[in-house]
Amino acid sequence: MNFDWEFIVETLPLYGDAMWLTVKLAFWGTLFSLVLGLLFSVVLHYKVPVISGVIVAYVELSRNTPLLVQLFFLYYGLPKIGIHMSEAACAIVGLTFLGGSYMTEAFRSGIEAVSKSQVESGLSIGLSKVQLARYVILPQAYAISIPSLGANAIFLLKETSIVGAIALMDLMNVAKDLIGMHYKTAESLTLLVVSYLVLILPLSIVLSWIERKVRYAEFGD
Amino acid sequence: MGDSRELLLEIKNLQKSYGDRKVLEGIDLRVRKGEVIVILGPSGCGKSTFLRCLNGLESVQGGEIQYLGRNLAEDQVDWREIRQHIGMVFQNYDLFPHMTVIDNILLGPLKVQKRDKTEALQQAEQLLDRVGLLDRKDAYPRQLSGGQKQRIAIVRALCMNPDIILFDEVTASLDPEMVREVLDVIQELANQGMTMIIVTHEMGFAKSVGDFIVFMDQGKICEIRAATQFFTRPETERAQHFLDIFQYEKL
Amino acid sequence: MGDSRELLLEIKNLQKSYGDRKVLEGIDLRVRKGEVIVILGPSGCGKSTFLRCLNGLESVQGGEIQYLGRNLAEDQVDWREIRQHIGMVFQNYDLFPHMTVIDNILLGPLKVQKRDKTEALQQAEQLLDRVGLLDRKDAYPRQLSGGQKQRIAIVRALCMNPDIILFDEVTASLDPEMVREVLDVIQELANQGMTMIIVTHEMGFAKSVGDFIVFMDQGKICEIRAATQFFTRPETERAQHFLDIFQYEKL
Amino acid sequence: MQNLGIEVLFEGSNMERLLGGLLVTIEISFISIVLGTILGLFMGLLRTIELKFLRFILRLYLELFRIIPILVWLYVVYFGFTPLFDIHISGEVTSILVFSLWGAAEIGDIVRGALESMPKHQMESAKALGLSSGQIYRYILIPQAVRRMLPGSINLATRMVKTTSLVVLIGVIEVVKIGQQIIELGVIKAPSASFWVYGFIFILYFLVCYPLSIISRRFERRWQN
Amino acid sequence: GGSESNGESKSKFNSIEQIKKNGKIKIGVFADKPPFGYVDSDGKNQGFDVYIAKRFTKDLLGDESKVEFVLVDAASRVAYLESNKVDIIMANFTVTDERKEKVDFANPYMKLSFGIVSPDSAPITSIDQLKEKGQRLIVAKGTTAETYFTKEYPEIELLKFDQYTEIFAALKDGRGAAIANDNTELIAWAKSNPGFTVSIPAFGGQDTIAPAVAKGNTELLNWINTELDTLGKEQFIHQAYKETLNEVYGEGYTDELVVEGGKLE
Ligand SMILES: Nc1ncnc2c1ncn2[C@@H]1O[C@H](COP(=O)(O)OP(=O)(O)OP(=O)(O)O)[C@@H](O)[C@H]1O
Ligand SMILES: Nc1ncnc2c1ncn2[C@@H]1O[C@H](COP(=O)(O)OP(=O)(O)OP(=O)(O)O)[C@@H](O)[C@H]1O
Ligand SMILES: [Mg+2]
Ligand SMILES: [Mg+2]
């Protein structure tokens, strides 16, 4: 197999742009998901009537449908009822719709993992509900949730590989486009795989390091 | 019971159920300042539930808990305020794992009681010194042994300057040496006149620390007697039966 | 030690380390048929490790374990065979949660010893009856209390017809009443002449059940004495210090 | 938009075709799950073996599937394998291959997790009864591990069903592709077809995945007690 | 050229003998490009390309039902041939030099050039209009139009989709100012979509459309060329036009599109 190195060098900037786009989409998607997740998990924890029910329904809907179909619906379906969004907006809304439920679950299991006896000993020194959340529950829930939050972030980053389906020039789409125009299949696919490794491998290593730290060291140093 | 000392807590006909199940069926108890009351009884008889009611961790279905002229069994009690006066230490050394020892101790005094930091710190260090753990003040709970954690938990409760402290089987998950180091701390508190209600399964300790023994069975108090009398000549048959469990010589 | 009885197990200069850390430093002990040996000692002194070595759960770095003319400290020992003669019961009532009580008990006799099903079942039921749990034979472990589980674990070990049973703090996570029901079973075994090595923190029980007390500290045996003598007049200061921990009257 | 456009779903054989497309999706997932489980069981057992090299290889295998998006794998296999290895495989076979290998990696990890999460003392008390290693696996570890594996495996099945939606991008004709065909034909008569068709497919996926999620949660809860 | 395949790639395509033995031929067609290649509401393949492909099958295997249509998208047509997923591509495949390096084209059966379609409300009548900021031109990935604009007008922002379905939906949803594609395609679509007009009917020279086979499959290539020659004698491509395109384009375009006998005039 002869590699066309010249082709690789020529198209490298395209992959650079695509990687940047991938990172941007994943960043905003993750950020909004985190905000949703934090908000929703607190609402669920305090069992706010009605809203909790809506959130539970949302979580189920989001977790049990594929992102591709979600995106197609947002991009092609919604304009038919008068809702127009740009490609990037659709992608971020889609990622947030998907990621929000995953983050909600991550935060919620973090909160639930804080033991009842921790809550009680907080109460028994006279802490108020707000103080209890601020000083006892959230710091612990947050630490417990970190590994799954990180895993979700990587999950969302990987899911961005689908946004090419709504014409965004992400890594996947660039590779596909180059194959379509120049028929350099091997070169394009290799660059594609390498790009994802470059993007996700460091993240995944950092994550497993954090996970180990949290698991074995619990708290403090 | 000695009438000379000030009455701190008076419980009358306390009723508690979980759903249909009655767990406490009319508890009556008076606690005077400086008294050490030890509650004994078989597992599931309602000892923990009783202490939790006194600390507002469980709601109550009937009866009175008179404390400083207020009835804590009523609805509108500000438990946050009460809990500053009635401290509690649990079985599972529930220190907050993400805070150092000193932060654990100061959380209540600073955030709840809004006390001056220097003054609170001084008291905390003094108490830590008393339980022999001043040098561990910047450690995290996971760096401590079970016995050390439990002593810190006691300091944490003490540092709120409570009128009464409730102890619920604080040594149940400890090794014998650690049991001893924790019980020694409680014994010292008793000697200094702290008012305490203690649930324990250590008979030797109960005998040595308690002014009065309250023997409970099936949600009721069967017997209240001076500690020395209880262990030599319990009044009820049930109490005698309970004590026999700890007598291996009779095998 | 009484010389009249048959020598079952002879441990000579047993050495065990985890990495660089010496945990057992030259243990010598002889166990005769029908003897009940109780091992006492502070936490971390190596009691569990010692029992685990006798059962082949830990490898040994030196010394001898003579059993029926074989040295178990050597490499080519068929532990599967030995374990049928040396049973062990652990602290955490390790019944297999996915099997009923009777299946738990019969697993060893049927699968390891390949015994006849009717005969093994008969023995199992007889033993269950003796510990008062025959009616629970089709229950799953999660449906039992801690004390019941521990009694089943003992029956499971007994049903292999071992020569010796090792007990490692089998009551450490139980409530007092349950402690008692388990210890009663062990006491009965002792009365019937079962050979046993028991690690426990229940002093009263140790005194009542043990023929000999082995007191260990920091991986060594400090003292071996008849139980009655040990509790009244221990030879070594360390043992005396250890016993003091359990004496609250001296406060 | 005088008419709602929802009629497009019921025109001609459209509904039948959409459901047929869903069946393709389900078929691909089902075959992959079965193959993945069989492979994964072996892989999980292999992963408990204390052999540095073997562990490294199997771990690498898992990580490759975790790091590189499945869509990329589908592409690499679909278009990359032919020039490299000179084999010709259809979109369906590509998907089944990729999903099975992915499933094997994940099931393998679930099996390993289940075996390793078994309390150590279970193993020891089995040993103390004189059971051999084989017997310990057969009577003690595997029966308990299977229980622990169930929720995770069903969860994985849900993820696989969802991920099969991607096979449309390598030309497999499944529910999304058929949806697109229907939209294309209905452009004039039903301008809002894409709203209804994609909305309907969205619901179809939900109807398939949701029951799986529920079952998985049931098992999880039961196991916790 | 047998010499360049060096024997090592001999299994990369099926010989005619192999196809006959299998009793079926795989032909790649579009599923979403009416009236050239599409799937009707009964799930059957229809269109101009399909019509011709069926005839090929009938003449090669004796029965037109022996064809297996493989639905391809524009970007992966070459890949389908290279990986032997199809024997022939007849998916409105425009002949280009780049493609010639990868596949072997038979003689053409159709000709065309590029066109641009835009909404009547904001018609694009010159390519320069597209250079303005914020104007996006919609293309399908892997088409000659994409390559043309990437090369000749790199300053024009392109919005690229895999599917024809998607480019038209995108134009309707107002995601771009216009679509650039083969004019045939666009004329057909604009006719059935009021509000849209082919505002630049032809530019970028004339191209031809031909069946393609895997590189080196000379045998099949020759067979197709002979077949096209034979069909030319009975004016079969004209008939195909009448059956599949007339309804969309009307008689007027016949000479603009049809190439009979595989030869341009
Ligand atoms: N949350 C609850 N819901 C229902 N029943 C409960 C609950 N908590 C405790 N109980 C029941 O109330 C009774 C008293 O429980 P409690 O924990 O007070 O007993 P205890 O005397 O402290 O026992 P132990 O010595 O085992 O700690 C028990 O029968 C128990 O099963
Ligand atoms: N797997 C291990 N690796 C390293 N050190 C160990 C291991 N297991 C036990 N130890 C160490 O060996 C020593 C003896 O442990 P062992 O469990 O035998 O003590 P013990 O007398 O049974 O204590 P306890 O009364 O707390 O059960 C301890 O210091 C312990 O920390
Ligand atoms: Mg209790
Ligand atoms: Mg031990």
Side-chain angles (χ1 to χ4, degrees), chain C residues 47-48 168-169:
Chain C
K47 305 180 294 292
S48 299
D168 189 6
E169 293 189 41

Side-chain angles (χ1 to χ4, degrees), chain B residues 175, chain C residues 18 21 23 41-50 58 91 168-169 199 201, chain D residues 120:
Chain B
D175 280 336
Chain C
Y18 288 114
R21 178 169 188 183
V23 177
S43 181
C45 71
K47 305 180 294 292
S48 299
T49 308
F50 177 52
E58 302 286 351
Q91 171 176 343
D168 189 6
E169 293 189 41
V199 171
H201 282 309
Chain D
K120 191 168 154 253

Side-chain angles (χ1 to χ4, degrees), chain A residues 26-102:
Chain A
F27 173 79
W28 290 111
T30 307
L31 189 73
F32 293 135
S33 301
L34 278 172
V35 173
L36 275 196
L38 191 59
L39 216 67
F40 288 179
S41 61
V42 171
V43 173
L44 286 180
H45 180 69
Y46 287 108
K47 302 201 169 68
V48 180
V50 187
I51 309 179
S52 288
V54 174
I55 291 175
V56 167
Y58 152 71
V59 168
E60 294 301 347
L61 212 56
S62 145
R63 292 195 69 123
N64 290 298
T65 48
L67 178 60
L68 185 72
V69 178
Q70 294 169 4
L71 286 181
F72 277 154
F73 184 73
L74 288 172
Y75 192 70
Y76 296 112
L78 285 187
K80 306 295 184 245
I81 56 165
I83 302 171
H84 284 264
M85 282 183 285
S86 73
E87 292 79 30
C90 278
I92 292 173
V93 169
L95 284 172
T96 306
F97 180 82
L98 180 75
S101 64
Y102 281 78

Side-chain angles (χ1 to χ4, degrees), chain C residues 164-187:
Chain C
I164 308 180
I165 306 189
L166 317 173
F167 292 92
D168 189 6
E169 293 189 41
V170 288
T171 61
S173 32
L174 298 179
D175 281 335
E177 293 105 313
M178 297 180 180
V179 168
R180 184 55 185 248
E181 70 193 30
V182 172
L183 295 184
D184 281 350
V185 168
I186 298 177
Q187 179 76 54

Side-chain angles (χ1 to χ4, degrees), chain D residues 83-146:
Chain D
L84 271 177
F85 306 112
D86 212 28
I87 39 170
H88 323 294
I89 46 179
S90 69
E92 284 84 352
V93 175
T94 302
S95 350
I96 289 174
L97 183 70
V98 169
F99 287 130
S100 302
L101 290 177
W102 171 43
E106 295 285 359
I107 294 268
D109 201 49
I110 293 171
V111 171
R112 179 198 56 83
L115 286 177
E116 284 179 359
S117 74
M118 206 70 66
K120 191 168 154 253
H121 46 78
Q122 280 283 315
M123 178 101 171
E124 292 193 336
S125 49
K127 267 191 194 169
L129 279 180
L131 293 172
S132 68
S133 315
Q135 287 176 321
I136 293 179
Y137 269 91
R138 166 136 165 49
Y139 296 113
I140 310 299
L141 296 184
I142 291 179
Q144 290 190 60
V146 165

Side-chain angles (χ1 to χ4, degrees), chain B residues 18 21 23 42-50 169 201, chain C residues 175:
Chain B
Y18 288 112
R21 177 169 186 182
V23 177
S43 182
C45 71
K47 305 181 294 293
S48 299
T49 308
F50 177 51
E169 292 187 42
H201 281 308
Chain C
D175 281 335

